[in-house]
Amino acid sequence: MGTYVVSGSASGMGHAAAERLRAAGHSVIGVDITATPRPLDVAADLSTAEGRRSAAEEVLAACGGALDGAILAAGVGPVAGRDRLIAQVNYFGVVELLTALRPAFARTAAAKVVVVSSNSTTTTPLVPQRAVRALLAGDVENALRAVRWFGKRSAPMTYAASKIAVSRWVRRHAVTQQWAGAGIRLNALAPGAIMTPLLAEQLADPTESKAIKAFPVPIGGYGDAGHLADWMVFMLSEAADFLCGSVIFVDGGSDAYFRSESWPAPVPARMLPRYAQRFLGYRRATRPVA
Ligand code: NAD
């Protein structure tokens, strides 16, 4: 049986995933701003650098420095006025925690990590790439400046930017010596609209509700938190041994509806020099991989 960290374990998809892992006999260290009475759980505010530092310290103490995997599900929805919180929790609350926990994943040499992204990454038009680049560079102020132009409608842009940035971070790091080379499988899951308290809060706002209900979902309705938790647990299993740097969309078909012709896409021609360099560099850097 393994030891897993689940952020956002107090509600929605994170809660459902933590319950499934516990039911299968694993130890789960839940991390959430909402305190829970479970002995291993850590109460931490992932929107602050200090909260992220103390969360990592407490998790490392609770697991004895070795982890079999993690699910990063703590997140804040695209609610107006919460731009800074969205960027802090959805991007920095994932990457800073994972960076601090990486040595514990490497200790078990077969750890699996699932980051919860979103299909807003590919279905939100006009997301400023400057905001995405700023987040990846660790510059939250610049990211917030980049979405200011959208005024009261900036929250969906910040949300999508935070999820694009975190997905790119996953793909960049998943393939490196520090992650793939250390036996860690790092992947992302991109849900569509899933019925959780996060979605319920958006549906309670009449304008948001109208937009959500008009959004094309080919199979109709909303996703179920338990089904998404099943995907997360599957992505932690041995069946995912060969899964590395993937972003899996479980969204009722919305991504396919909007982008049937744009994915899969080959490496663009302008990337060829870097492609050759990366290919050769990869062969040098990763062999032999244990
Ligand atoms: P949820 O609101 O039910 O759960 C989110 C959890 O994150 C809560 O327990 C909350 O307390 C925790 N959290 C929020 N801010 C925190 C902070 N500062 N520090 C620590 N914990 C904090 O939402 P959910 O729908 O289960 O969301 C899970 C993940 O899925 C999120 O990353 C969300 O962005 C993503 N997502 C949700 C949907 C959806 O439609 N529900 C769609 C796509 C992606």
Side-chain angles (χ1 to χ4, degrees):
M1 290 297 115
T3 302
Y4 294 90
V5 179
V6 179
S7 80
S9 58
S11 173
M13 291 180 255
H15 177 71
E19 289 295 293
R20 277 159 171 71
L21 289 171
R22 287 189 188 104
H26 299 296
S27 296
V28 174
I29 305 168
V31 177
D32 207 291
I33 195 167
T34 310
T36 62
R38 293 182 183 275
L40 280 180
D41 282 359
V42 169
D45 180 359
L46 296 174
S47 73
T48 68
E50 182 43 41
R52 299 188 279 267
R53 236 187 332 267
S54 76
E57 272 171 28
E58 286 188 51
V59 168
L60 290 171
C63 71
L67 285 167
D68 295 281
I71 295 171
L72 283 294
V76 176
V79 175
R82 289 195 194 154
D83 294 80
R84 184 176 294 275
L85 193 65
I86 292 167
Q88 288 288 357
V89 179
N90 296 5
Y91 181 74
F92 296 100
V94 173
V95 306
E96 287 184 14
L97 196 56
L98 284 182
T99 303
L101 298 181
R102 199 201 64 82
F105 299 132
R107 273 272 297 278
T108 51
K112 296 196 174 65
V113 176
V114 181
V115 168
V116 184
S117 174
S118 159
N119 77 342
S120 65
T121 49
T122 58
T123 61
T124 312
L126 304 174
V127 180
Q129 290 307 297
R130 201 182 113 208
V132 176
R133 283 195 299 273
L135 289 174
L136 282 160
D139 185 349
V140 71
E141 301 306 330
N142 205 6
L144 295 176
R145 267 195 295 277
V147 296
R148 210 166 279 161
W149 184 82
F150 293 91
K152 284 185 187 148
R153 296 291 305 153
S154 64
M157 295 297 156
T158 311
Y159 183 81
S162 73
K163 295 294 188 178
I164 295 170
V166 87
S167 305
R168 289 202 186 144
W169 188 93
V170 163
R171 286 170 70 74
R172 283 182 186 180
H173 286 76
V175 296
T176 61
Q177 187 70 14
Q178 289 83 359
W179 291 82
I184 312 164
R185 297 293 171 262
L186 174 60
N187 293 287
L189 184 67
I194 312 300
M195 190 42 81
T196 67
L198 183 148
L199 183 63
E201 185 182 18
Q202 287 176 260
L203 288 170
D205 177 290
T207 320
E208 284 294 312
S209 170
K210 224 165 138 184
I212 292 166
K213 285 176 180 156
F215 189 76
V217 181
I219 67 164
Y222 303 120
D224 173 71
H227 293 166
L228 272 291
D230 287 338
W231 277 90
M232 294 171 196
V233 172
F234 180 67
M235 290 167 76
L236 296 179
S237 76
E238 277 180 17
D241 277 355
F242 204 51
L243 193 69
C244 175
S246 289
V247 182
I248 310 279
F249 284 75
V250 181
D251 73 341
S254 306
D255 175 64
Y257 175 88
F258 283 115
R259 300 193 326 121
S260 56
E261 305 312 306
S262 58
W263 179 257
V267 179
R270 66 182 160 75
M271 291 287 285
L272 283 177
R274 201 194 292 183
Y275 177 80
Q277 195 186 25
R278 282 210 174 165
F279 179 59
L280 296 172
Y282 168 80
R283 295 210 321 187
R284 267 198 303 275
T286 55
R287 283 187 189 169
V289 174

